[in-house]
Amino acid sequence: AQSVTQLDSQVPVFEEAPVELRCNYSSSVSVYLFWYVQYPNQGLQLLLKYLSGSTLVESINGFEAEFNKSQTSFHLRKPSVHISDTAEYFCAVSDSSASKIIFGSGTRLSIRP
Amino acid sequence: DTGVSQDPRHKITKRGQNVTFRCDPISEHNRLYWYRQTLGQGPEFLTYFQNEAQLEKSRLLSDRFSAERPKGSFSTLEIQRTEQGDSAMYLCASSSTLAGRTSYNEQFFGPGTRLTVL
């Protein structure tokens, strides 16, 4: 069985400050890892994913996440946040068959001007 | 719009009533998933289809819940004898397992159906 832990339910940061959203997972098999974002009043959107290869993956809007197998982590980072990044962020895991995704409980990122 | 669509977007019902939700996946996506999201939690997997076959069901899917995808295109999720604990956002997603697609296994989510049971 797989599980995902997002330790921080809320992360407040100032605009242009760096941010890290933490994610740890557990699994007995090889996994795919994801970060999904849910903007206010919108559906879930895939932000970035790790399937294989380079352990550092990037999104088009400046976020990056690093797969760390030894620490079973997949933390999400951005060096400088904008007001538009205000959203709920979900870390998620699936096995290689990708039949279902197991989500964490989410981290609400709030940006202060 | 070629994304995943869900209908209705909101449903308010009284305890004990039956409700049915519809999901239309992205055209030609052969997999379709249902998830449930309660306030303050991440989505929880309920079930998924590959074409018209229902391949996996979560233990969360009690006997009051039934899902169908009769022609391998749209899907319906029915909840019988609704209870207040069924109040949640019901999310549908679709994906394609066709070889060569760069979005292999990426699940695209619809806007959800928010159910409120009074």
Side-chain angles (χ1 to χ4, degrees), chain A residues 23-112:
Chain A
C23 172
N24 288 89
Y25 71 93
S26 67
S27 176
S28 57
V29 298
S30 297
V31 296
Y32 295 156
L33 293 161
F34 310 88
W35 276 97
Y36 279 83
V37 59
Q38 191 169 34
Y39 297 104
N41 300 315
Q42 293 188 31
L44 279 167
Q45 302 173 35
L46 181 66
L47 186 62
L48 48 76
K49 62 185 177 186
Y50 169 79
L51 303 182
S52 63
S54 172
T55 58
L56 185 66
V57 291
E58 299 177 349
S59 72
I60 58 173
N61 57 352
F63 282 93
E64 64 179 29
E66 186 163 18
F67 169 54
N68 188 319
K69 189 174 182 179
S70 63
Q71 297 186 4
T72 60
S73 68
F74 192 56
H75 302 328
L76 181 70
R77 303 183 181 94
K78 189 170 184 179
S80 175
V81 297
H82 301 282
I83 291 287
S84 60
D85 293 324
T86 297
E88 184 133 24
Y89 292 80
F90 294 94
C91 182
V93 63
S94 74
D95 61 25
S96 57
S97 71
S99 59
K100 63 186 177 187
I101 294 177
I102 306 300
F103 286 87
S105 55
T107 297
R108 185 171 298 277
L109 179 61
S110 58
I111 314 296
R112 300 169 175 172

Side-chain angles (χ1 to χ4, degrees), chain B residues 1 5 34 46 97 101 115:
Chain B
D1 186 6
S5 62
W34 285 100
L46 293 179
T97 60
R101 296 179 70 101
L115 173 66

Side-chain angles (χ1 to χ4, degrees), chain B residues 5-64:
Chain B
S5 62
Q6 293 187 244
D7 183 69
R9 295 289 304 276
H10 303 273
K11 178 70 177 178
I12 299 174
T13 190
K14 293 182 179 180
R15 188 176 52 186
Q17 297 295 305
N18 299 343
V19 295
T20 300
F21 311 140
R22 177 181 170 123
C23 171
D24 287 88
I26 293 172
S27 178
E28 297 180 357
H29 273 191
N30 57 340
R31 283 191 176 177
L32 186 149
Y33 310 79
W34 285 100
Y35 293 84
R36 181 174 68 186
Q37 185 178 17
T38 53
L39 204 59
Q41 298 297 317
E44 297 172 296
F45 170 78
L46 293 179
T47 187
Y48 91 99
F49 295 83
Q50 180 150 320
N51 301 313
E52 63 274 10
Q54 189 172 18
L55 296 188
E56 187 173 349
K57 293 195 298 185
S58 163
R59 287 174 293 177
L60 294 174
L61 214 63
S62 75
D63 291 345
R64 296 184 297 105

